[in-house]
Amino acid sequence: MKQRTLWSAALVVGLTLTAGCGSASGPGSSTGSSDKLVVWDWKSGDAEAAAYVEKAKADFAKKHPGVTVEFVAQPFDQYYTLLGAAIQAGKGPDVVLFNGGGQIRDRAAALTPIDTYVGDDRQRLAGWDAFTKDGKTYAAPVTLQGHPVYYNKDLYGKAGLDPDAPPKTWDDFVRNCGVIAAKTGAKCLAQGNKEGFGIQFFLSAMGSSVLTPQEYDDWIAGKRDWASADVKRIFELWKQTGDSGLNTDGANSTAMFNDAFALFNSGKAAHVIGLMSDVGHWKDFAEFLTPEKLGVMRAPVVTTAAKPSLPFDGGIGYAVAKWTKDPKLAADLVRSLTSADALKAFYADGGAIASDATIDVSSGGPAVKTIVAEVEAGKPALHVALSSKTLDLMGRLSQQLLSGSATVDDAVAQLAASDKTG
Amino acid sequence: MAAPTLSPARPAPAGPARPRRSGSRAERLAPLALVAPAVLIIAGLRLWPLVLGVNFSFTGDGDRDGVMVGLDNYATLFADPLFRTALRNVGLLVLLLPVAVAIPGLLATLIYLRVPGHRLYRGVYFFPAVLSPVIVGAIFTLLLAFDGPLNGFLGGLGLGPVDWLGDPDVAFFVVVAVHVWATFGMALVVFLAGFATLDQSLLDAAKTDGASFPQTVRHVIVPSLTRTIQFVFVTTMIGMLTSMFGLLYVMTSGGPEGSTYLPEYYIWIQQGRLNQPALASAASTALFLIMLVVGLAQIAILRRAAGKED
């Protein structure tokens, strides 16, 4: 009896202790040894990315036949939470997929600069800036992400406007919208600002048609004058889209992904500030708007000194974690993941605008051709230069601007303060 | 808690007699060994992480990662209007609690009093409780969209559309209402279980004396169900404070204008999206303290009410 009591107690203790160990982080998340590399992303599980992953793996296997590569696809909505836990623990995947801009810059301390390894890809790929912090590159771009203004040529035609001559100035843009609304009942701009993304798209799309080129470059370089008349002008325009009914109804409760895009897709709005890759882009719209009905226009000019350009950055890119055993090996995997063949597969299946400008896109229709042609003269998007904290604040302030509970001066002052503290 | 304690006629079960303090050493150690798993689980998997978390909340984020910063995170936290909104919303939840308890209570009463179709209602009312908050949130996001069916219906009646999830004065109440809709089935079942212990003769007596329905509820049903009502109060409060995340995430993303933030959502945003785990730890510690205070207050109220009843 005594014996049995002790044994069962010991058993319970043993089970408890082993139950506590282990699987919180899931399989494949431990630091790889030098003959195995673990990749974290949110893409490799998609059917659209299958060929891409296959090509990249094949390319890497040619260079390092003995090394196995394991892709762990994480759910995107928890991706940075899981990654944060891995960073706290100081161990995790060797190669990590990142969004460009704030998401990677905020976590640069956990990554290895890869400048010395990717020198040969510099010229071939575009979009490096989004993965650069303090002059060091932390990831190689896979796709380009940016904010072209798409318009529905069909609605333009129905309203008696020339579908191939989109408005060049803001005043023409507003006037056209008035005509379209009167003739077809469609709104001007499909807007989704539930998560505060609407203002990010708007700021970046309209920025180059309001700010002077000098102001624009200063903004990207970190010298942001929030109190300047031109910056305020952008937020005044944003407020105007709400106040004068240019936006689709209920913008603050409409999700950008994908309700706002659906409004554009179904012809309820004539324009949308969309994306170049992933979702909400030319290939997504093609489901309902055939290529000849979909147009891409430059942002309408607001101030005479402005020179509109396509805002774009590196969209997603692969980085090398600081704790990986062999950074050179991991960087080689990054190079395979951005090899021309792999990126071509990603463009063809996923419809992403790949970072490799040498890929032939002529079969994609006029909209994608216009976008790719604009890439060369394009500039980094304004919102990508801001920290996640400032973007979060900007989202809430933009909702207040639409609902009228904040003034432009107030919003700009708060953003300036947030931007200063980082 | 909902156990029938109203029948004093039933004798309390006699506890086993205390064993004499004797026997071998192994026998004296056996109780310790038996308690050990529970103690180890609590200490190792609950208290120790809690201490680590609290300790972590005194360190910095970003450039100051790992550096002790004293109370800086807490100062940041209480200066952040967003966190204050989250706390205000917790206060609102406490104020809305009686409504959230009254709805299942009233419906359970009607079912107990056998309104026509009560069997159907019993099943229908419970149905939403088996749905995941994400599904519920997605359904109501569609229903309550600006161009959704509810506004279409209101428009048909000649009433202006309401931006249910886009108006900062309305959105939080809408989300709470959906949460109550989704979860009241569970409380309803607890109430029905409580009714099973109700003394039918009291109801018959009330009927004989000619008591109206409100009088019956007030003087017979509510006093007899004190324990059940208290239990539902506590579980509903816990449910509101800890399981609204899914709904908030799907329906409003904390918006509009940050008006539907709750502390747990704030913690998640700070940790996952803004990469400030130490600040998130401070918010977690603050939430823990709030829950502790609310919990202790509830226990105190329960004790007092129970004392009055017995």
Side-chain angles (χ1 to χ4, degrees):
Chain A
M1 177 68 200
K2 264 182 282 171
Q3 209 72 0
R4 226 172 54 199
T5 319
L6 280 177
W7 271 116
S8 45
L11 188 68
V12 172
V13 172
L15 280 177
T16 313
L17 290 179
T18 46
C21 303
S23 62
S25 47
S29 59
S30 62
T31 308
S33 56
S34 53
D35 56 357
K36 184 185 175 191
L37 290 172
V38 176
V39 182
W40 270 21
D41 61 32
W42 62 87
K43 285 275 175 199
S44 60
D46 299 353
E48 287 166 350
Y52 164 69
V53 171
E54 210 50 50
K55 287 254 162 61
K57 268 185 169 172
D59 187 74
F60 185 70
K62 253 191 290 174
K63 290 185 226 158
H64 301 278
V67 183
T68 46
V69 179
E70 187 189 349
F71 281 84
V72 182
Q74 308 280 13
F76 182 65
D77 53 356
Q78 291 168 32
Y79 186 76
Y80 289 105
T81 312
L82 294 169
L83 194 60
I87 289 172
Q88 279 304 319
K91 57 180 179 183
D94 304 282
V95 172
V96 195
L97 186 61
F98 270 101
N99 292 98
Q103 294 292 17
I104 190 165
R105 292 202 185 104
D106 289 353
R107 295 166 177 85
L111 304 172
T112 306
I114 54 171
D115 299 82
T116 49
Y117 308 114
V118 297
D120 292 349
D121 294 332
R122 281 271 166 204
Q123 286 308 309
R124 187 172 54 90
L125 304 179
W128 293 93
D129 288 350
F131 304 104
T132 304
K133 186 184 181 184
D134 302 331
K136 286 183 190 146
T137 307
Y138 289 94
V142 173
T143 63
L144 299 182
Q145 189 59 288
H147 302 284
V149 181
Y150 295 96
Y151 69 99
N152 186 332
K153 289 185 177 178
D154 205 26
L155 287 175
Y156 265 68
K158 277 183 192 154
L161 301 165
D162 181 1
D164 295 314
K168 291 214 157 46
T169 66
W170 179 258
D171 290 337
D172 284 346
F173 176 74
V174 174
R175 206 171 301 128
N176 279 3
C177 282
V179 176
I180 291 169
K183 294 260 174 72
T184 69
K187 289 281 189 174
C188 179
L189 199 57
Q191 189 57 271
N193 200 38
K194 176 175 159 182
E195 304 93 339
F197 293 150
I199 183 68
Q200 298 181 14
F201 285 32
F202 189 83
L203 171 68
S204 286
M206 293 302 299
S208 67
S209 66
V210 180
L211 304 184
T212 65
Q214 186 60 43
E215 283 177 318
Y216 199 103
D217 295 342
D218 285 350
W219 174 291
I220 300 299
K223 287 176 277 178
R224 291 184 274 277
D225 182 7
W226 289 90
S228 80
D230 284 347
V231 171
K232 275 190 195 168
R233 187 87 178 93
I234 300 176
F235 288 91
E236 278 159 9
L237 290 174
W238 166 261
K239 195 167 157 50
Q240 185 194 340
T241 61
D243 292 351
S244 60
L246 297 178
N247 288 336
T248 43
D249 292 328
N252 279 349
S253 59
T254 307
M256 175 70 82
F257 306 100
N258 287 315
D259 297 351
F261 295 135
L263 288 171
F264 175 71
N265 230 342
S266 56
K268 288 185 181 139
H271 308 85
V272 71
I273 299 168
L275 292 167
M276 284 159 58
S277 301
D278 300 322
V279 289
H281 64 330
W282 54 279
K283 191 157 186 175
D284 252 12
F285 299 143
E287 197 182 342
F288 292 101
L289 291 174
T290 48
E292 68 278 3
K293 286 186 191 162
L294 181 69
V296 172
M297 59 188 261
R298 281 195 176 159
V301 177
V302 179
T303 54
T304 43
K307 283 206 166 53
S309 59
L310 176 73
F312 84 95
D313 291 274
I316 56 174
Y318 283 99
V320 174
K322 197 171 65 181
W323 51 74
T324 189
K325 291 235 171 69
D326 184 351
K328 167 104 180 48
L329 185 72
D332 268 357
L333 178 56
V334 170
R335 292 198 63 197
S336 291
L337 284 160
T338 52
S339 64
D341 271 358
L343 292 179
K344 200 169 173 192
F346 206 20
Y347 158 75
D349 295 349
I353 303 287
S355 56
D356 190 333
T358 61
I359 292 176
D360 176 27
V361 295
S362 52
S363 60
V368 64
K369 254 199 289 189
T370 315
I371 295 172
V372 173
E374 293 278 327
V375 162
E376 191 156 353
K379 287 184 176 184
L382 296 183
H383 80 269
V384 178
L386 302 174
S387 71
S388 329
K389 203 171 124 193
T390 304
L391 289 177
D392 189 59
L393 176 67
M394 187 166 75
R396 270 175 280 128
L397 288 172
S398 70
Q399 293 172 337
Q400 293 183 336
L401 286 174
L402 286 186
S403 75
S405 58
T407 63
V408 170
D409 286 335
D410 187 28
V412 172
Q414 285 193 45
L415 287 168
S418 166
D419 194 29
K420 207 167 280 169
T421 59
Chain B
M1 283 205 182
T5 50
L6 292 164
S7 48
R10 202 173 61 182
R18 249 184 114 79
R20 283 174 294 128
R21 246 186 79 90
S22 66
S24 71
R25 213 171 122 198
E27 208 158 301
R28 265 184 283 130
L29 286 178
L32 291 178
L34 287 171
V35 188
V39 172
L40 284 177
I41 289 172
I42 291 174
L45 299 179
R46 295 273 156 126
L47 297 180
W48 180 236
L50 184 69
V51 172
L52 287 181
V54 173
N55 182 49
F56 189 58
S57 74
F58 294 113
T59 65
D61 282 313
D63 297 338
R64 298 198 294 168
D65 188 20
V67 182
M68 295 305 280
V69 296
L71 289 170
D72 274 15
N73 285 328
Y74 291 89
T76 312
L77 204 58
F78 288 99
D80 186 349
L82 209 52
F83 188 70
R84 291 207 300 265
T85 308
L87 291 184
R88 186 206 68 187
N89 285 343
V90 168
L92 274 179
L93 283 181
V94 174
L95 291 180
L96 289 169
L97 189 58
V99 182
V101 174
I103 291 171
L106 197 64
L107 293 173
T109 310
L110 293 174
I111 290 176
Y112 179 70
L113 296 176
R114 306 228 157 81
V115 294
H118 64 276
R119 277 173 211 283
L120 175 73
Y121 290 134
R122 198 168 48 187
V124 169
Y125 288 155
F126 188 71
F127 180 63
V130 303
L131 291 176
S132 132
V134 174
I135 296 169
V136 172
I139 293 171
F140 274 93
T141 306
L142 288 176
L143 287 177
L144 299 171
F146 195 89
D147 54 356
L150 182 61
N151 274 338
F153 176 72
L154 287 178
L157 296 178
L159 300 169
V162 179
D163 199 357
W164 297 105
L165 298 173
D167 184 335
D169 299 326
V170 178
F172 187 69
F173 295 97
V174 172
V175 178
V176 173
V178 172
H179 176 77
V180 170
W181 176 85
T183 56
F184 84 86
M186 210 52 101
L188 187 94
V189 170
V190 175
F191 270 119
L192 287 176
F195 275 118
T197 68
L198 201 61
D199 192 349
Q200 185 66 39
S201 58
L202 279 176
L203 283 178
D204 291 341
K207 205 180 275 174
T208 316
D209 291 345
S212 66
F213 174 65
Q215 284 173 325
T216 315
V217 170
R218 197 173 150 218
H219 296 290
V220 181
I221 293 179
V222 169
S224 309
L225 289 182
T226 320
R227 296 295 179 113
T228 311
I229 294 170
Q230 287 163 1
F231 177 73
V232 172
F233 256 96
V234 175
T235 50
T236 308
M237 188 72 230
I238 293 171
M240 277 182 157
L241 284 179
T242 59
S243 55
M244 295 244 311
F245 181 87
L247 279 185
L248 288 178
Y249 184 81
V250 175
M251 293 179 69
T252 66
S253 307
E257 305 173 24
S259 65
T260 57
Y261 264 71
L262 279 178
E264 49 170 350
Y265 193 80
Y266 182 89
I267 292 164
W268 181 80
I269 288 282
Q270 292 299 338
Q271 206 290 113
R273 201 168 292 171
L274 304 184
N275 197 26
Q276 305 201 75
L279 184 64
S281 276
S284 305
T285 309
L287 177 61
F288 172 72
L289 291 176
I290 292 165
M291 295 293 277
L292 203 65
V293 170
V294 171
L296 288 176
Q298 277 181 336
I299 290 174
I301 293 168
L302 279 180
R303 283 229 178 98
R304 230 176 58 191
K308 240 190 273 171
E309 185 60 30
D310 289 341

